[in-house]
Each structure stands twice: as structure tokens, then as C-alpha cells.
Amino acid sequence: AKRSSKITGSKVKQNSNKQGTQAKKQPNSTYKEKSLKTVKNGYRQLRIGIDFGTSFSKVVVGVESGGGFVVIKSPNNKENCLFPSVLFYHKSSNSYSLFKKRGYTEISDLKINLIDKLKSAKLSDIYSSEEFKRCAIYLSLLVNQARNYFEENRSDMRRFHLKWGLTLGFPSAPSKKGFNKCEKVFKKLSEVSILLNETKPSEYFSQIDLFLKDIPNAKKKALELVDCDWGFIYPEILSQVVVLN
């Protein structure tokens, strides 16, 4: 009997060591597994689709496995589902808004200015530019608006752990080289806009630089705050079609 217990104990020790080694090999997987196990009612995968237009943008949120979708509407006009592609900036508080407020200055032509930058600048110069950062901030505010609106209007989802993802439309380009460059920039935009969603508005610009230096590490830290899936990109309005299907 004593011999049997020793063998069993040895096997348990070996198994625990093996599991520990496996955990070390996969450090990024532990948070997701733990977070989903602790939710009694399970989780739901949600995908935010943004058609980022030059004048207006449209946002929808789709739920996995035929759970329906919600078209995000403006809090200022419940009949309007189009968001002007502009930012409003308050200098003294260093904060941004999707909506016009007292003391805020309008920043327009967000997408047009970024596309102009795409035509001539190197990728490194694009990522450090105000044009890129302003678009990232705008998209992040849209993501935040979508999350809040969805949670307010889909009370049936409150009992679930919500896993958010983003699908972003990107413009077509006249050449394969231009297409690849545009694809890289908008992929970065989708990732940064999710990361910014958990950042203080006054720290937006400085945080974007930190994120771009080490996107994988930034994603790992972000998972400690919100369970999210990372950005996918599709040509223009297909971002909404993908979400709805």
C-alpha cells in the first residue's frame, strides 16, 4: 500500500510539473481561459463593424451564431445612424469628442488627410503622423460609442461575458503596392483603436506611440482590462457585410 501511494504521488508531481511547463510555454493563453471559466453563463463574441467614410461613418455590432445585430445610432438623434467623420478637440483639457461641445474645435477631413499621407510618406512616417493618430482616436471613440450603445440596448446580453472584436473597412488602391501599404496602415489603425479604448483621453497621443513600439505586449496588457479579439480589415463597406453574416 505504501509503495502504491508513493507511485501515485510521483505521477501527480510529474503531471503538475508537466502542466506548469505547458503553462510557461503558453503565457498568453491563460487569461482568456481563466476569464471564460469564471463566467457562469458563458460568453458571446461580438464584432463591431465600421465603415469609415470620408464624410460620414456607419457602425454596426453583430452577435455570433445568429444572435442578431444592432445598428449604432447617435445619442443626439436616435433616428440618425451616420456619424460625421470629424473630431472635436478641447485644448485646455487635451480631450476629444465625437460630438460638438462648448470650447471644442472641429478637426475635419480625417480620412482624406490620411489617404493623402499614404500616397507619399513611408510607413514609419505615417504611424508617427497626426493624421494617423487622429484617425485612431476617432475610431476608438466610435468603438466606445458602439460598446455603450449595444450594452444599453441589448439587456439580454448583460448576463454574458462579452468578447469584443473590430472589423474595419479600408479604401481601395490603384496598384498592388498601394493596396498592400493601405492594408498595413488600416490593420494598425484597427489594433490601436481597440487599445485606445481603455486609455485616458488626455493620454491618447503618447499612448499611440507606445502601442506602436510593441503591439504584441500592448495587446497582452489590454487583456487584463477587457477581453477582446483583434482587428480584421476588409475593403470598404464589406466590413459591415462580414459582421452581419
Side-chain angles (χ1 to χ4, degrees), residues 10 17 28 73 165 179 207 209 228:
S10 176
N17 289 338
N28 294 340
K73 297 181 180 179
F179 180 90
Q207 285 299 309
D209 291 329
C228 50

Side-chain angles (χ1 to χ4, degrees), residues 66-102:
F69 65 92
V70 172
V71 177
I72 307 304
K73 297 181 180 179
S74 169
N76 299 332
N77 183 357
K78 296 298 183 182
E79 301 301 316
N80 187 10
C81 60
L82 296 176
F83 292 84
S85 298
V86 298
L87 268 178
F88 295 93
Y89 176 64
H90 192 265
K91 189 174 181 178
S92 61
S93 63
N94 193 30
S95 58
Y96 293 85
S97 173
L98 290 175
F99 311 106
K100 189 174 182 179
K101 298 179 181 179
R102 186 176 180 181

Side-chain angles (χ1 to χ4, degrees), residues 23-50:
K24 287 179 182 178
K25 287 181 180 178
Q26 298 176 334
N28 294 340
S29 65
T30 53
Y31 175 79
K32 289 184 181 180
E33 291 172 3
K34 183 180 178 183
S35 65
L36 299 184
K37 285 179 181 178
T38 55
V39 179
K40 186 177 180 180
N41 295 305
Y43 78 101
R44 287 292 181 272
Q45 173 73 58
L46 305 177
R47 177 74 55 185
I48 300 170
I50 299 178

Side-chain angles (χ1 to χ4, degrees), residues 86-153:
V86 298
L87 268 178
F88 295 93
Y89 176 64
H90 192 265
K91 189 174 181 178
S92 61
S93 63
N94 193 30
S95 58
Y96 293 85
S97 173
L98 290 175
F99 311 106
K100 189 174 182 179
K101 298 179 181 179
R102 186 176 180 181
Y104 281 68
T105 304
E106 182 178 317
I107 304 171
S108 59
D109 298 325
L110 300 174
K111 187 178 178 181
I112 292 173
N113 291 336
L114 179 61
I115 291 173
D116 286 342
K117 196 81 177 177
L118 270 165
K119 293 176 183 177
S120 56
K122 296 186 297 183
L123 283 174
S124 57
D125 292 335
I126 292 170
Y127 297 147
S128 61
S129 68
E130 285 194 356
E131 290 84 355
F132 178 89
K133 292 177 180 179
R134 284 171 175 171
C135 285
I137 292 168
Y138 173 73
L139 292 170
S140 179
L141 291 173
L142 281 182
V143 168
N144 188 54
Q145 181 67 30
R147 288 175 62 183
N148 291 337
Y149 187 91
F150 182 88
E151 288 168 2
E152 288 173 7
N153 289 272

